[in-house]
Amino acid sequence: MNLRDLHYLVALAEHRHFGRAAEACFVSQPTLSTQIKKLEDELGVPLVERTPRKVLLTDVGREIANRARDVLNEIEQIKGVARRTVDPESGTVRLGIFPTLGPYLLPHVVPMVRDRFPRLELLLVEEKTETVLHRLREGKLDAGVLALPIHDDSLHAEFLFEEPFLLAVPQSHPLAKRPQLKLNDLSDQSLLLLEDGHCLRDQALEVCHMAGAGEKSGFRATSLETLRQMVAANVGITLLPTLAVKPPVAQAPNLQLVEFSGHPPSRRIAMLWRKSSAMGGFLKQLADVFCSLPRDLLDPHSAATASARRRRVA
């Protein structure tokens, strides 16, 4: 048994197809099939059920594949320890981030990371929260930037910042003339929301629940940009995170931003990594860079003021 064979088994478990698994491992299909058969002979148990259309792992095959994945992850941890001993600020970090934050946060923070760690290769993966968590637990990501709360005792959560929400309304909407809002001002409103699977949907629903507001029926957006354009088209109103309305993001015409008074509704952002990760010390340094964002980027008042100024000029 060797690490290469374990890698082949894990690939087969993920792809459920000899050809695709071989392609992922950069070997020929006969080579991968032969090595899997040798592994079965060595262990003395069948790992794979071969059917005409797809590959199924046996019960013991699935258990061994899961353990093999853990072994391969540990090997990567060992290599990471060695690399960072030689050069603590070099190497690769695979970072997951969710779609309603990534495009708006990364233009600000990536240059800061580059300045602080010029030899670091930062590989960014944008996926919904559950996918980021799944890949993080499996060792396919080193860390994830996600919205709290995350309930997983195997993960360390390093708080980064709190991002307030603003209300986005068409310029003709009665609430557009208000300098500030209270949550109960939304009690008779129906908000446009994202489709299931986006954490921003859950956060907006929580705000709706606190305010006594509802969801506009018959429509669920696939992206934050769709929500923005639907508001501009007079379809309804929605909540937008502060970073999503700050430059370099272009403001949609006919869209007015209104801030909330007092402590506004918000989302809390954290960087998460496995508690067992050998990169924990370095990831804490990386998180510190994310924490050092200019405070005005998270200030909803300046965004609302700029929006009102544009409305008066128009």
Side-chain angles (χ1 to χ4, degrees), residues 2-13:
N2 55 50
L3 295 177
R4 178 193 58 193
D5 293 343
L6 297 183
H7 182 64
Y8 292 163
L9 179 62
V10 169
L12 192 59

Side-chain angles (χ1 to χ4, degrees), residues 9 12-13 15-18 33 36-37 40 45-62 65:
L9 179 62
L12 192 59
H15 294 278
R16 306 289 182 89
H17 188 278
F18 276 100
S33 181
I36 293 293
K37 184 64 174 65
E40 289 179 315
V45 293
L47 303 175
V48 180
E49 295 178 18
R50 295 163 176 83
T51 64
R53 294 189 176 182
K54 61 181 178 179
V55 172
L56 299 175
L57 266 66
T58 62
D59 289 343
V60 67
R62 283 192 295 272

Side-chain angles (χ1 to χ4, degrees), residues 17-223:
H17 188 278
F18 276 100
R20 289 193 291 271
E23 185 178 350
C25 295
F26 303 102
V27 297
S28 68
Q29 181 174 330
T31 296
L32 185 137
S33 181
T34 298
Q35 292 306 123
I36 293 293
K37 184 64 174 65
K38 287 182 178 179
L39 185 59
E40 289 179 315
D41 292 342
E42 180 177 351
L43 294 173
V45 293
L47 303 175
V48 180
E49 295 178 18
R50 295 163 176 83
T51 64
R53 294 189 176 182
K54 61 181 178 179
V55 172
L56 299 175
L57 266 66
T58 62
D59 289 343
V60 67
R62 283 192 295 272
E63 181 177 352
I64 291 174
N66 288 335
R67 292 179 180 273
R69 185 180 291 109
D70 292 339
V71 169
L72 294 174
N73 287 339
E74 286 300 318
I75 294 297
E76 287 303 312
Q77 295 290 321
I78 291 171
K79 291 179 180 178
V81 170
R83 284 193 301 266
R84 294 190 186 284
T85 299
V86 175
D87 188 351
E89 297 181 359
S90 69
T92 299
V93 171
R94 300 162 298 173
L95 182 69
I97 192 166
F98 58 99
T100 60
L101 178 64
Y104 314 108
L105 172 63
L106 295 176
H108 302 288
V109 78
V110 167
M112 297 167 59
V113 172
R114 233 181 358 244
D115 288 344
R116 175 64 180 83
F117 304 111
R119 298 185 302 280
L120 178 69
E121 181 183 45
L122 185 63
L123 300 181
L124 300 166
V125 177
E126 186 180 288
E127 291 285 359
K128 292 180 180 178
T129 295
E130 283 306 313
T131 301
V132 171
L133 285 172
H134 178 71
R135 294 187 178 184
L136 185 56
R137 293 176 185 123
E138 287 201 336
K140 295 178 181 178
L141 292 174
D142 300 307
V145 177
L146 300 172
L148 297 174
I150 298 293
H151 303 290
D152 189 325
D153 291 339
S154 70
L155 300 178
H156 170 79
E158 188 75 20
F159 175 74
L160 301 179
F161 55 83
E162 187 167 1
E163 183 183 19
F165 291 121
L166 296 102
L167 187 70
V169 301
Q171 289 185 351
S172 59
H173 196 279
L175 293 178
K177 300 176 182 179
R178 303 282 294 274
Q180 288 187 329
L181 297 172
K182 296 179 181 178
L183 270 182
N184 59 17
D185 291 328
L186 303 181
S187 60
D188 59 346
Q189 301 291 328
S190 296
L191 274 65
L192 297 167
L193 300 180
L194 290 169
E195 64 184 0
D196 290 333
H198 289 276
C199 63
L200 183 57
R201 171 180 172 80
D202 299 330
Q203 295 151 6
L205 281 172
E206 185 177 350
V207 174
C208 288
H209 177 73
M210 291 188 297
E215 177 182 2
K216 189 174 180 66
S217 61
F219 174 81
R220 288 185 181 178
T222 57
S223 71

